[in-house]
Amino acid sequence: MRGPLGAVLERYPLSDGTTEDGGIIRHNRKCRDVAFLVIFIAFWVAMIVNSSFGFNQGNPLRLTYGLDYKGNVCGDKHAHPGLHQLELKYWLNPNQVYQSGVKDSQFKLSNARSICLLDCPTPLEDSLSWVCDYPEGDIHLSVDDWIDRNYDYYEILTLGMKNASLQLQGPCYPVIFPSVNVYWSCQYIARASNASLRHWKQMGGVDIKEDIVVDKSIHSFINSRSSVLKRYMADIGKAWPVLIVCGGLLPLFLSVVWLLMIRYFVAAMPWITVAFFNILIITVTVFYYLKAGWIGNDAISPIIGDHDPYMHVFGRELNHLRAAAILMTFVMVLSILTSIAIVRRILMGTSVLKVAAKVIGEVQALIIFPVIPYSILAIFYMVWISAALHLFSSGQVVQNNCNTNCCAYDLLSEKVNCDHCCGYSIRYTPHIAVAIFFHLFGCYWATKFFIACSSTVIAGSVASYYWTRGETSSEVPVLPVFDSMKRLIRYSLGSVALGSLIVSFVESIRFILESFRRKLKVTETTPDSWFGKMVYHTSQGCLSCVEWTIKSVNRNAYIMIAITGKSFCRSSAIATELIMNNILRLVRVNVIGDVILFLGKLFVSLSSAVFGFLVLDTHKYSSGHNKLSSPLLPVLDSEEHEGTAQFAPLLLMETLNEQNDMQRLTQ
């Protein structure tokens, strides 16, 4: 039968009355789960290779800006011609835009002729304005001169070029419809200028379609799922200063403040935490309502820059924000009701926090230690996000294979060209999708690994304090945190790698199964076939099993690794046995402590979120070059002595033994 855990931690009387020699957490350890440490190192090497592919092939500009008819990314200063500051994609031929929106049409908007401009053209009131192709060939103008002329050099065209332009074959095209900058694409507004149309017809131009389809075609393209996903990824790149401050420095500062307040205001901390948590969650919910347009007139708009206030363009991001507002409403109501329900338990939580306050006072390095894993994770996230942006944009720019009429005047060959006039698209091969999934899994595994290392170090530090009955002892190391770090690095990194891998693996399976289950529910009913029903219910059962596994493989295993030095599997078994044999005490102390700790994490997260929302709502991020598409995207020993927590501090023992177990459970 397994011996007492305390015997391997400190000299204290064993069950037979003898004394075990050796200091606190001082026994013969050895390296555990080395094979998984090797796998983890190999995985990091693969992550570096995978990221290198992204940095080599990707271009984050593709996530924000469109492609012109030559395959250049708008805004790319290395393109030919140079497109620096020419960031807006504009479709030249309105009839091609119309044709792409007609039902069952074979013509795609990606094949419509498009160029990159500095601003979106609008029709003139008294004459017909033109937008002409990039100046080249016999058009002896620089790009700067072309911009200064408002992209119009129709008056210097030859007679043949003018005739081709009147047939909507270029090189110049009439500006008939007003347009606005919607996420760096010029969205047509289906309100044709009567004056421009009159001039166009007087010049003998071909018929131009004025249907609402002109508007809807570009709108559907801008709000496609792939376009929205790219914009969300681009938002991360644009808002990186806010992420560093509100996702890094501010949470770290607030966490240290929260720990210090536990140390010096322990009696009031549960109430302060609960009160501020509810205030913050109400604030965040109200902010979502404001940005969703349900309160006030400050809803997010996809239009960038100044525009007609009566001009409204809908973006899919608004739907996402409204869904988040509904979810936050539910969470807010639930949190307020839960806070009311746990008022009595908060008094018990005060006793637990008093023990925590004393631990922080005795092992003061615990306040500083989180800075180490936090800094490592911050550096990792910066590199990982940069690599992710490059991976998401690492598709190949290839010319489409179209069989439709896309004839246009070629200034270099000086004739109308109907060959190789198809547009360009970014194509993602299957291996890129695998690389992205691998990158996401690597982020999750690395995050879980560093969090597990932190839990193990903290558990080893607190154990030194705990086994001295909560009193100062000469056997407690002067720097228990750093002693615990040395034990982790020397003996237990493999065990931590295995534990974090298991959690990451089962979470990935749950994500895949949940995606599969949602696809089965597309019809809003359970599949009719027996095979479909079997797969549907099996996936639900697997999800439940995965969820149970995740709850079982928790931080208690890392605590036992820190205390015993055992392998991950063995530590998990010990932790599970301890939990099952002390379930009532676990409910009494662990659950209440976890609730306060969880509310503390939410308090820090929500405070950072509120500050982040306020920053992202400033002019810098709500308009102009850095405009975000949405602010949505931009935290044990009881059974060893016949059920008596012999080495627990007195405050904790009072909490544990306050009433009879069954009596407390009944209440």
Side-chain angles (χ1 to χ4, degrees):
M1 184 176 179
R2 180 167 56 84
L5 290 176
V8 299
L9 298 172
E10 186 204 1
R11 292 196 309 270
Y12 68 84
L14 303 181
S15 55
D16 58 1
T18 62
T19 300
E20 178 75 19
D21 292 330
I24 296 174
I25 313 184
R26 187 182 300 165
H27 65 289
N28 295 327
R29 294 189 178 217
K30 63 179 181 180
C31 294
R32 306 284 186 178
D33 301 315
V34 179
F36 291 95
L37 179 59
V38 174
I39 293 174
F40 184 71
I41 294 173
F43 186 86
W44 269 87
V45 173
M47 279 281 290
I48 294 174
V49 174
N50 191 54
S51 300
S52 300
F53 166 79
F55 284 118
N56 185 47
Q57 300 293 329
N59 181 1
L61 287 177
R62 299 174 185 169
L63 300 175
T64 301
Y65 308 115
L67 302 177
D68 66 6
Y69 74 93
K70 294 186 175 185
N72 298 319
V73 180
C74 293
D76 188 357
K77 61 182 179 181
H78 301 295
H80 181 74
L83 301 177
H84 180 58
Q85 294 186 339
L86 300 178
E87 300 171 336
L88 277 63
K89 181 174 182 176
Y90 177 73
W91 286 271
L92 292 166
N93 191 331
N95 277 2
Q96 286 184 338
V97 174
Y98 169 82
Q99 188 179 355
S100 66
V102 175
K103 187 177 181 181
D104 298 328
S105 172
Q106 298 298 317
F107 190 83
K108 304 298 181 185
L109 186 62
S110 58
N111 293 318
R113 200 167 186 84
S114 60
I115 60 174
C116 303
L117 303 179
L118 188 63
D119 48 14
C120 292
T122 55
L124 298 178
E125 296 293 334
D126 54 354
S127 62
L128 179 63
S129 61
W130 300 81
V131 172
C132 300
D133 201 349
Y134 301 127
E136 53 188 355
D138 289 339
I139 306 300
H140 302 292
L141 293 174
S142 66
V143 173
D144 290 336
D145 291 336
W146 174 63
I147 295 173
D148 291 339
R149 297 172 67 105
N150 290 324
Y151 325 109
D152 183 357
Y153 51 77
Y154 179 80
E155 62 183 20
I156 65 175
L157 295 180
T158 64
L159 182 60
M161 291 180 183
K162 288 183 178 180
N163 288 333
S165 298
L166 292 174
Q167 299 299 315
L168 289 180
Q169 293 180 337
C172 293
Y173 297 82
V175 179
I176 303 297
F177 298 95
S179 59
V180 292
N181 179 359
V182 177
Y183 298 134
W184 311 105
S185 293
C186 291
Q187 164 78 63
Y188 277 21
I189 305 300
R191 295 202 304 261
S193 168
N194 293 329
S196 297
L197 270 177
R198 185 173 62 254
H199 283 91
W200 172 254
K201 291 177 181 179
Q202 289 173 355
M203 296 175 69
V206 298
D207 185 43
I208 292 180
K209 306 295 183 182
E210 303 177 51
D211 198 277
I212 190 68
V213 173
V214 172
D215 187 311
K216 290 184 176 179
S217 178
I218 298 178
H219 182 268
S220 299
F221 174 82
I222 294 175
N223 285 284
S224 64
R225 290 185 178 181
S226 59
S227 298
V228 173
L229 177 60
K230 289 178 181 179
R231 287 200 292 271
Y232 279 143
M233 290 300 300
D235 286 348
I236 297 176
K238 294 177 184 177
W240 65 266
V242 181
L243 291 177
I244 291 176
V245 175
C246 300
L249 301 178
L250 183 61
L252 179 62
F253 172 75
L254 292 176
S255 299
V256 173
V257 170
W258 195 76
L259 287 174
L260 291 174
M261 291 184 69
I262 287 180
R263 175 72 178 91
Y264 296 105
F265 305 100
V266 61
M269 273 308 293
W271 305 102
I272 294 175
T273 302
V274 172
F276 271 92
F277 165 71
N278 285 289
I279 293 173
L280 286 170
I281 200 168
I282 292 173
T283 303
V284 172
T285 304
V286 171
F287 182 86
Y288 274 115
Y289 272 76
L290 287 170
K291 289 301 161 184
W294 289 339
I295 298 178
N297 298 310
D298 195 26
I300 62 170
S301 171
I303 301 177
I304 300 173
D306 297 331
H307 62 280
D308 186 342
Y310 297 101
M311 191 177 293
H312 298 284
V313 178
F314 178 79
R316 179 174 284 191
E317 286 84 353
L318 186 61
N319 277 343
H320 297 169
L321 206 56
R322 288 175 175 174
I326 295 173
L327 177 62
M328 286 302 300
T329 303
F330 174 78
V331 173
M332 178 188 68
V333 173
L334 184 63
S335 65
I336 294 175
L337 294 178
T338 303
S339 301
I340 296 173
I342 65 170
V343 168
R344 290 182 58 197
R345 296 294 182 181
I346 291 177
L347 297 173
M348 184 186 298
T350 303
S351 300
V352 178
L353 283 182
K354 286 180 180 178
V355 179
K358 192 169 184 181
V359 173
I360 294 173
E362 295 292 340
V363 190
Q364 296 182 2
L366 285 175
I367 298 179
I368 304 174
F369 165 73
V371 176
I372 298 175
Y374 196 89
S375 301
I376 295 174
L377 274 175
I379 296 172
F380 168 74
Y381 282 144
M382 285 190 287
V383 177
W384 183 89
I385 289 174
S386 178
L389 292 175
H390 283 80
L391 277 173
F392 270 88
S393 60
S394 59
Q396 295 181 340
V397 178
V398 296
Q399 190 169 25
N400 301 327
N401 183 17
C402 63
N403 298 320
T404 53
N405 180 18
C406 58
C407 300
Y409 194 93
D410 188 345
L411 287 171
L412 294 178
S413 62
E414 299 182 359
K415 64 178 182 179
V416 175
N417 183 11
C418 295
D419 298 325
H420 307 291
C421 59
C422 300
Y424 284 79
S425 301
I426 301 175
R427 292 183 183 174
Y428 295 90
T429 56
H431 77 273
I432 295 179
V434 173
I436 292 174
F437 180 80
F438 183 83
H439 196 67
L440 294 173
F441 179 80
C443 175
Y444 196 78
W445 188 7
T447 301
K448 290 297 180 182
F449 176 81
F450 288 120
I451 292 176
C453 288
S454 301
S455 300
T456 306
V457 170
I458 293 173
S461 307
V462 175
S464 300
Y465 165 84
Y466 180 83
W467 296 111
T468 61
R469 307 173 192 263
E471 302 297 335
T472 303
S473 170
S474 60
E475 293 187 354
V476 177
V478 178
L479 296 173
V481 172
F482 295 101
D483 279 8
S484 184
M485 288 177 62
K486 287 193 297 184
R487 289 192 298 272
L488 168 68
I489 296 172
R490 185 173 180 181
Y491 300 111
S492 302
L493 281 179
S495 300
V496 172
L498 173 57
S500 55
L501 173 61
I502 292 175
V503 174
S504 304
F505 184 70
V506 294
E507 282 281 4
S508 299
I509 293 178
R510 186 176 69 167
F511 173 78
I512 294 172
L513 289 176
E514 178 64 20
S515 300
F516 185 61
R517 187 176 68 85
R518 288 184 178 181
K519 288 184 178 180
L520 290 176
K521 294 184 67 177
V522 170
T523 58
E524 298 182 359
T525 57
T526 305
D528 295 330
S529 65
W530 67 269
F531 179 76
K533 290 182 178 180
M534 181 187 70
V535 173
Y536 176 78
H537 292 295
T538 301
S539 64
Q540 285 191 318
C542 290
L543 283 174
S544 301
C545 293
V546 168
E547 196 130 359
W548 180 86
T549 304
I550 294 174
K551 291 180 180 179
S552 298
V553 184
N554 53 25
R555 69 179 184 276
N556 294 298
Y558 301 126
I559 294 173
M560 300 315 299
I561 289 173
I563 294 175
T564 66
K566 302 290 185 182
S567 66
F568 176 80
C569 295
R570 181 59 179 156
S571 298
S572 297
I574 296 173
T576 303
E577 185 180 349
L578 286 170
I579 291 172
M580 296 306 297
N581 292 341
N582 299 273
I583 189 66
L584 296 179
R585 289 182 174 83
L586 179 70
V587 172
R588 185 175 300 162
V589 176
N590 217 23
V591 172
I592 297 301
D594 283 352
V595 168
I596 300 299
L597 181 61
F598 179 69
L599 291 179
K601 291 179 180 178
L602 288 180
F603 164 75
V604 172
S605 300
L606 290 173
S607 299
S608 303
V610 169
F611 187 76
F613 281 144
L614 293 176
V615 174
L616 294 176
D617 199 36
T618 58
H619 179 76
K620 179 179 180 180
Y621 294 103
S622 60
S623 63
H625 184 77
N626 289 319
K627 178 180 172 67
L628 303 183
S629 62
S630 172
L632 181 61
L633 224 0
V635 78
L636 324 156
D637 133 292
S638 295
E639 63 95 33
E640 294 299 318
H641 298 278
E642 288 76 36
T644 303
Q646 192 178 72
F647 283 81
L650 292 177
L651 284 170
L652 189 56
M653 291 180 66
E654 291 173 2
T655 304
L656 289 172
N657 302 319
E658 191 174 331
Q659 290 186 15
N660 178 269
D661 286 348
M662 289 306 297
Q663 212 171 17
R664 173 73 72 179
L665 183 62
T666 303
Q667 290 179 359

